[in-house]
Amino acid sequence: MTSIRNVAIIAHVDHGKTTLVDKILHEAKLFRDNQETGELILDNNDLERERGITILSKNVSVTYKDVKINIIDTPGHADFGGEVERVLKMADGVILLVDAFEGPMPQTRFVLSKALQLGLKPIVVINKVDKPNCRPDETHDAVFDLMFNLDATEEQLEFTTVYGSSKQGWMGPEWENPTDNIQHLLDVMVDEVPEAPAPEGTPQLQITSLDFSNYVGRIAIGRLVRGKLTENMPLGIAKRDGSIKRVKIKELHVFEGLGKRRVEEVVAGDICAITGIEDFEIGDTITDFENPDPLPRIAIDEPTMNMLFTINNSPFFGKEGKFVTSRHLRDRLFKETEKNLALKVETGDTEDKFLVYGRGILHLAVLIETMRREGYELQVGQPQVIFKEIDGVKCEPIETLVIDVPENLSGKAIELATQRKGELLIMEPKGDMQHLEFEIPSRGLIGLRNNVLTATQGEAIMTHRFKEYAPFRGPISGRINGSIISVENGPCTAYALDKLQDRGTFFVEPGDDLYGGMVIGEHSRPNDLTVNVQKGKKLTNMRSAGADDSAKLAPPRRFSLEECMEYIQKDEYVEVTPESIRMRKIYLDENERKRMEKKD
């Protein structure tokens, strides 16, 4: 029987987790020498590749020196915390990957604290030591301090450190002496990570993630903690409400390389995928039906933000999408909750409205982006944070915000964060950058990234993660400027835009098709302005000097999906279709808007 090691790789966003996994896969000779693999093999959906972040945890396995190593790639983003906690349950050890220049970051702290609580011993990999002005030794000390602050045990603090550069494909015991491969890291993994225990007894497996196949339906993935599983074995599944339901395993698969291999039997300690089980959810335990012994359920962080999702009812409805009705939207959202644990969906006050609860703007934006790529049309309202009453006090979610910014621009960043009720806790130099840490309400983060990037000429690096619920900090002023709104339907003209340039910044360019009530720019004043940008130039056959000066237009300001979500006000929607993202007023007619304002 082969020995098994289950290892999770944890790190902050962009510290090189997925690149390191690529190198491990190559080192273990998983591919033919002439096989084209590309970069970032594990980030296999388009969204992950474009954004350069891991969203879904993945499982792969390699065999090294007759030891099977199951590697679990975890998301580094706090918005996907629901994923991280589950997958750590499958691991016996963790590799903590830290950037040699940036050192431990807030998300590193978040994932590491979860791993230490589960009693996992980390192997620290200090990556990117080839970067200029990196500080591997200082980073090592910072990791030790962080673990000490997180109440690590004596044994956890005696961690092994490996230095290297996953991009250049080497890992070694010292950063001054580069090696020419990453075998040192694989040796450390085999030596340091405890062998997966394989106790005898009745089977016990907690479902920690899901997969879906059009041929066999839902697939349960988890680590077999005890006993053996065989094909066609009759078992029980322990549900959330305490009931036990009879099930039968149809097929068993273990992870091998990037794929799965069908097996007849799985022994304790291995991670496997099971088909043939219906009606299960994450956290359920597969166990013996006669003598059930369920494992404790996984607690998932609660959502901190909600957004209204509704069908697209703009004049451009149905032009670009395949799925446009409320039934399509309802089915898709409820299907998402099956595998996206940190997401909650409630039906709204009418049939076509849904309140979707998530962990943050990025969490919700990834869902919306995935849906529009699948051909859905929908509209979303302004994100709202979720308030709670704790001991009779109104409380709101507070986040830890870290901004790294060039020294000469740090004043601007501090000013913007404190305007939004942020409290500056730490300010220290980090190389030629200033490192700022704040405690800020989640409400204050909405729209902050745009402002900080504008004020620092795009040089600031911002990260944040949920800390706790704390007493309400009072009102925060939102966007100061009003919107410029189109009054007519039809394409806009350069002539009209040219005449209106001094009124504000525009988000559209000549020839764009617009409709009345669409937000097409930002007014230079606090009030909304309704304009006619469809007006053409009156043509005559008279010539006059200077009459034919062509319009000189500033380029339009373009928004990403997240920027739109952060930008809109209470009375606006973002309209999302497979081809375009537009902002609009909820009430398209100007008279109706005025009536509604009076009601408020």
Side-chain angles (χ1 to χ4, degrees):
M1 188 182 118
T2 52
S3 171
I4 297 172
R5 306 281 188 278
N6 296 317
V7 188
I9 297 192
I10 58 178
H12 182 76
V13 180
D14 223 12
H15 279 196
K17 283 192 300 294
T18 308
T19 307
L20 177 64
V21 176
D22 286 3
K23 293 295 186 275
I24 292 173
L25 295 175
H26 283 292
E27 184 69 41
K29 303 279 186 287
L30 267 192
F31 308 106
R32 301 187 311 277
D33 291 342
N34 61 353
Q35 190 171 340
E36 279 292 322
T37 58
E39 298 271 301
L40 303 178
I41 303 160
L42 278 199
D43 280 354
N44 49 12
N45 83 29
D46 296 343
L47 251 183
E48 292 183 312
R49 285 174 173 270
E50 284 166 29
R51 289 168 181 261
I53 60 173
T54 300
I55 295 168
L56 305 164
S57 61
K58 321 276 190 319
N59 299 48
V60 289
S61 84
V62 296
T63 305
Y64 178 72
K65 294 185 176 172
D66 295 333
V67 175
K68 179 179 180 182
I69 303 173
N70 283 320
I71 298 168
I72 308 153
D73 185 15
T74 62
H77 228 285
D79 278 18
F80 305 108
E83 287 277 318
V84 174
E85 285 179 64
R86 302 201 314 264
V87 293
L88 287 177
K89 283 270 177 121
M90 297 199 266
D92 295 306
V94 291
I95 290 180
L96 172 67
L97 197 65
V98 185
D99 184 308
F101 173 68
E102 291 187 349
M105 297 288 276
Q107 263 95 328
T108 319
R109 184 187 187 102
F110 165 71
V111 189
L112 182 61
S113 66
K114 303 280 182 206
L116 294 176
Q117 283 162 21
L118 290 168
L120 302 175
K121 186 177 176 184
I123 297 167
V124 175
V125 176
I126 293 178
N127 192 21
K128 304 191 184 184
V129 295
D130 55 324
K131 272 170 93 173
N133 64 26
C134 64
R135 313 159 305 161
D137 296 331
E138 285 175 46
T139 301
H140 177 270
D141 296 342
V143 172
F144 183 87
D145 293 344
L146 173 63
M147 285 205 201
F148 186 77
N149 292 338
L150 292 172
D151 299 329
T153 61
E154 291 285 319
E155 192 193 355
Q156 285 170 329
L157 285 172
E158 289 174 10
F159 54 83
T160 308
T161 308
V162 177
Y163 298 92
S165 160
S166 40
K167 195 162 193 180
Q168 295 185 351
W170 68 269
M171 289 284 158
E174 295 161 352
W175 63 275
E176 296 98 333
N177 304 326
T179 59
D180 54 5
N181 58 36
I182 61 162
Q183 281 183 3
H184 176 72
L185 174 62
L186 291 167
D187 289 333
V188 170
M189 280 156 74
V190 171
D191 298 340
E192 291 285 325
V193 176
E195 185 177 339
E200 297 290 317
T202 55
Q204 217 183 17
L205 175 142
Q206 187 162 42
I207 299 170
T208 41
S209 53
L210 301 178
D211 206 349
F212 186 81
S213 143
N214 289 333
Y215 303 107
V216 294
R218 295 171 77 201
I219 302 168
I221 297 172
R223 172 187 169 168
L224 184 58
V225 179
R226 188 176 70 199
K228 272 184 192 167
L229 291 180
T230 53
E231 286 193 353
N232 298 321
M233 188 176 187
L235 288 164
I237 185 161
K239 312 283 293 170
R240 183 193 294 273
D241 56 11
S243 62
I244 307 285
K245 192 177 135 235
R246 273 188 192 278
V247 290
K248 190 174 179 184
I249 294 175
K250 205 185 250 167
E251 288 181 13
L252 279 170
H253 293 86
V254 292
F255 291 90
E256 192 165 276
L258 288 170
K260 300 189 189 86
R261 177 168 62 92
R262 187 170 172 181
V263 290
E264 287 179 5
E265 176 182 271
V266 173
V267 293
D270 209 347
I271 294 170
C272 64
I274 302 170
T275 62
I277 301 174
E278 284 305 313
D279 187 31
F280 62 83
E281 57 181 55
I282 287 177
D284 290 353
T285 304
I286 294 175
T287 178
D288 189 53
F289 184 75
E290 305 300 333
N291 307 305
D293 183 9
L295 289 158
R297 291 191 78 82
I298 307 165
I300 299 293
D301 284 351
E302 291 177 25
T304 55
M305 202 165 267
N306 68 13
M307 272 176 92
L308 179 76
F309 279 52
T310 179
I311 57 167
N312 184 10
N313 59 2
S314 79
F316 292 169
F317 151 81
K319 279 190 177 177
E320 297 165 359
K322 279 194 299 202
F323 308 111
V324 294
T325 65
S326 58
R327 181 178 61 82
H328 287 137
L329 186 59
R330 169 194 294 275
D331 293 350
R332 179 65 181 82
L333 289 174
F334 281 106
K335 186 178 159 199
E336 185 69 25
T337 56
E338 287 185 354
K339 60 177 193 291
N340 193 335
L341 270 202
L343 199 79
K344 245 173 49 188
V345 179
E346 286 178 7
T347 42
D349 46 12
T350 59
E351 277 299 295
D352 55 0
K353 289 189 174 160
F354 303 91
L355 267 182
V356 179
Y357 295 81
R359 295 275 305 140
I361 295 244
L362 181 68
H363 186 200
L364 294 166
V366 165
L367 168 64
I368 297 167
E369 183 65 46
T370 311
M371 285 172 68
R372 71 180 276 231
R373 288 177 187 216
E374 290 169 7
Y376 285 84
E377 279 194 16
L378 63 148
Q379 295 185 139
V380 294
Q382 190 186 33
Q384 306 287 339
V385 302
I386 299 166
F387 296 106
K388 275 186 183 174
E389 193 149 306
I390 302 171
D391 302 331
V393 179
K394 183 183 181 185
C395 293
E396 65 174 334
I398 302 286
E399 311 223 2
T400 303
L401 167 70
V402 175
I403 305 180
D404 287 332
V405 61
E407 212 165 316
N408 56 333
L409 299 168
S410 59
K412 296 234 181 87
I414 294 171
E415 183 187 347
L416 286 166
T418 46
Q419 274 171 4
R420 290 164 171 261
K421 301 281 190 273
E423 280 179 27
L424 182 62
L425 304 177
I426 296 174
M427 180 174 180
E428 57 190 21
K430 189 175 185 181
D432 52 358
M433 303 281 266
Q434 199 74 20
H435 175 80
L436 312 170
E437 277 189 35
F438 299 88
E439 262 187 20
I440 188 168
S442 297
R443 294 175 297 140
L445 288 170
I446 298 175
L448 180 65
R449 184 180 301 271
N450 270 345
N451 297 352
V452 169
L453 289 177
T454 309
T456 59
Q457 290 122 42
E459 294 205 42
I461 301 165
M462 272 178 69
T463 51
H464 58 88
R465 64 159 304 267
F466 173 70
K467 184 177 181 217
E468 62 189 2
Y469 268 88
F472 183 67
R473 293 200 174 171
I476 295 175
S477 58
R479 192 175 95 208
I480 303 161
N481 296 28
S483 304
I484 300 179
I485 306 153
S486 168
V487 71
E488 296 279 337
N489 298 350
C492 70
T493 64
Y495 174 75
L497 281 179
D498 185 38
K499 296 280 179 268
L500 291 164
Q501 283 214 85
D502 54 347
R503 292 306 185 93
T505 318
F506 281 92
F507 313 148
V508 292
E509 55 190 355
D512 284 357
D513 218 359
L514 314 178
Y515 55 80
M518 189 168 149
V519 174
I520 55 169
E522 182 178 285
H523 194 195
S524 52
R525 298 194 174 159
N527 60 316
D528 286 351
L529 178 72
T530 310
V531 296
N532 181 345
V533 284
Q534 283 80 4
K535 200 165 50 181
K537 185 177 176 185
K538 294 282 181 287
L539 299 176
T540 70
N541 56 2
M542 301 289 285
R543 294 271 174 115
S544 67
D548 286 333
D549 286 349
S550 58
K552 292 186 177 63
L553 298 176
R557 184 168 156 198
R558 295 294 187 204
F559 285 89
S560 70
L561 176 59
E562 274 120 293
E563 286 166 347
C564 283
M565 288 160 63
E566 293 187 340
Y567 183 80
I568 58 171
Q569 301 284 38
K570 265 202 197 68
D571 63 340
E572 294 169 349
Y573 277 156
V574 180
E575 179 190 345
V576 184
T577 72
E579 310 278 315
S580 28
I581 296 172
R582 307 180 186 93
M583 290 181 280
R584 52 159 285 188
K585 289 290 179 187
I586 294 178
Y587 300 105
L588 297 177
D589 180 59
E590 191 176 1
N591 298 326
E592 201 176 344
R593 282 200 296 276
K594 285 181 177 156
R595 262 205 317 280
M596 287 300 164
E597 267 175 42
K598 281 178 190 158
K599 271 190 190 173
D600 290 349

